[in-house]
Amino acid sequence: MLDYSDTVVLVPCLNEEASVAKVVEGFQNHLPGCRIVVYDNNSTDDTVALAAASGAEVRHEKMRGKGHVVRRMFRDIDAQIYILTDGDLTYDPSKAPAMIDLLRKDALDVVIGRRIDAGGKEYRRGHRFGNRALTSTISRLFRSELSDMLSGYRVMSRRFVKSFPVEAKGFEIETELTVHMLQLSIPFAEVDTEYGARHEDTESKLRTFVDGFRILRTIAGLTILERPTLVFGASGFAACLVALAMFLPVLAEFQQTGLVGRLPTLVVSIVLGSTGLVSIFTGLILSGITRTRRDMKRLAYLRLPPPVPSE
């Protein structure tokens, strides 16, 4: 029998009394010897009591939001392999051994559970469309092949977890995890896993429009932070082109008549061109700063040993 004593299963929970015990039991059955830690996020039901009764270690994070919980988990828990899952039983514990084996065999740092609709009502059409759109955006931005950016089912190495600076407060945490993985070119893989419906007595904490907007805002902020040359350079270049288009007719008129008949246009073109040049140079400066930040993250990542490949 395989031993998973070096593995910890992290389960952030908020009012999951209907399913948390089954989640704990599922991972106990499929990962014998693993450590299971349920982090309660101020539940008002019997989540804590049921998790403890099922054999899980229970800890608490009082600041509401999945991002706050993940920050606390990654900071406080030490292990060689981390499994991040949800307490609503939408992810299949039986896939965990294969995901861990793939991580060890190929010396990966992240294995993502790529969600496949199991016919339940949880993976709604709007969520599916939003996930595809956001995943496509991130994939193009970082030139990577990725299918499910927002999956909450991940197997991760210690060096990935301990080098990850968590900034998110809520469900945008999956976006941050993915961007951190892609910006450092960390080796990863995806494994298909059925995404089942939540227990009928529970409700999803994901708010389609509110959390979708927060994820979009996170992507926009990360794009500016990680690709400043693209953002500021492109906008600056566009401003310079518009300024040039406005300036040339004024110049032609001046060459013919010796007069500047459209002084406001000249002023606007100069201001716009100057702003464009400042934007371009700002992007170049921020690009250097971004590279320094990325190198510091990479050094923190490389400071810890890689996962030991299985034979």
Side-chain angles (χ1 to χ4, degrees):
M1 180 180 293
L2 294 175
D3 179 30
Y4 295 98
S5 58
D6 62 344
T7 301
V8 62
V9 180
L10 301 175
V11 190
C13 282
L14 172 60
N15 295 331
E16 302 288 2
E17 64 176 4
S19 55
V20 65
K22 294 181 180 179
V23 171
V24 174
E25 292 169 2
F27 282 100
Q28 287 173 336
N29 292 334
H30 291 97
L31 301 176
C34 75
R35 180 185 178 191
I36 301 177
V37 184
V38 172
Y39 263 82
D40 178 63
N41 199 202
N42 284 336
S43 296
T44 57
D45 60 7
D46 291 330
T47 296
V48 171
L50 292 172
S54 62
E57 177 184 339
V58 179
R59 298 194 180 195
H60 302 272
E61 171 53 54
K62 295 191 178 298
M63 293 184 67
R64 281 283 180 92
K66 188 175 182 180
H68 292 301
V69 180
V70 171
R71 181 184 299 110
R72 184 71 176 270
M73 293 190 299
F74 285 5
R75 183 182 67 191
D76 294 352
I77 303 299
D78 196 35
Q80 293 303 312
I81 296 177
Y82 296 76
I83 298 179
L84 181 63
T85 188
D86 289 341
D88 55 12
L89 205 60
T90 52
Y91 295 113
D92 185 3
S94 68
K95 291 291 185 178
M99 294 170 71
I100 293 174
D101 182 63
L102 180 61
L103 182 125
R104 287 173 169 166
K105 181 181 66 175
D106 293 349
L108 305 174
D109 285 291
V110 179
V111 177
I112 301 173
R114 179 170 48 208
R115 292 170 291 181
I116 304 298
D117 194 353
K121 61 183 178 180
E122 179 62 24
Y123 204 10
R124 296 194 292 270
R125 183 178 301 176
H127 292 178
R128 193 182 298 112
F129 171 78
N131 184 30
R132 282 201 299 265
L134 295 174
T135 299
S136 176
T137 300
I138 290 295
S139 296
R140 289 192 179 95
L141 184 63
F142 289 94
R143 302 179 183 91
S144 176
E145 294 183 3
L146 186 68
S147 303
D148 193 356
M149 181 187 79
L150 300 180
S151 173
Y153 196 14
R154 299 175 187 237
V155 175
M156 300 163 287
S157 69
R158 183 173 185 271
R159 69 175 182 174
F160 174 82
V161 167
K162 295 303 181 181
S163 67
F164 174 54
V166 184
E167 298 290 339
K169 298 179 181 179
F171 284 102
E172 64 271 27
I173 181 63
E174 283 85 6
T175 303
E176 280 197 0
L177 282 165
T178 302
V179 169
H180 179 66
M181 178 184 75
L182 295 179
Q183 71 182 180
L184 298 185
S185 300
I186 287 174
F188 75 96
E190 293 180 287
V191 173
D192 289 346
T193 179
E194 288 189 350
Y195 188 65
R198 293 175 59 92
H199 194 279
E200 59 183 7
D201 295 330
T202 64
E203 294 181 359
S204 174
K205 282 69 176 184
L206 180 63
R207 298 163 295 176
T208 302
F209 295 105
V210 174
D211 289 306
F213 173 76
R214 293 177 67 178
I215 292 169
L216 284 172
R217 185 179 62 187
T218 299
I219 290 177
L222 289 170
T223 301
I224 295 173
L225 190 65
E226 299 300 330
R227 292 289 187 272
T229 304
L230 174 65
V231 176
F232 290 96
S235 58
F237 183 71
C240 288
L241 286 180
V242 173
L244 184 62
M246 296 175 65
F247 175 75
L248 289 178
V250 177
L251 178 63
E253 182 182 10
F254 176 76
Q255 290 176 334
Q256 291 177 358
T257 65
L259 300 174
V260 178
R262 291 180 287 179
L263 183 60
T265 301
L266 176 63
V267 173
V268 171
S269 66
I270 293 174
V271 171
L272 195 59
S274 300
T275 302
L277 290 174
V278 169
S279 180
I280 291 173
F281 283 107
T282 298
L284 293 174
I285 294 171
L286 290 178
S287 178
I289 296 174
T290 297
R291 181 170 181 175
T292 301
R293 288 178 54 256
R294 189 179 297 124
D295 288 343
M296 292 176 65
K297 287 183 180 180
R298 185 174 286 109
L299 288 173
Y301 161 73
L302 294 174
R303 180 174 55 86
L304 298 173
V308 178
S310 59
E311 297 181 356

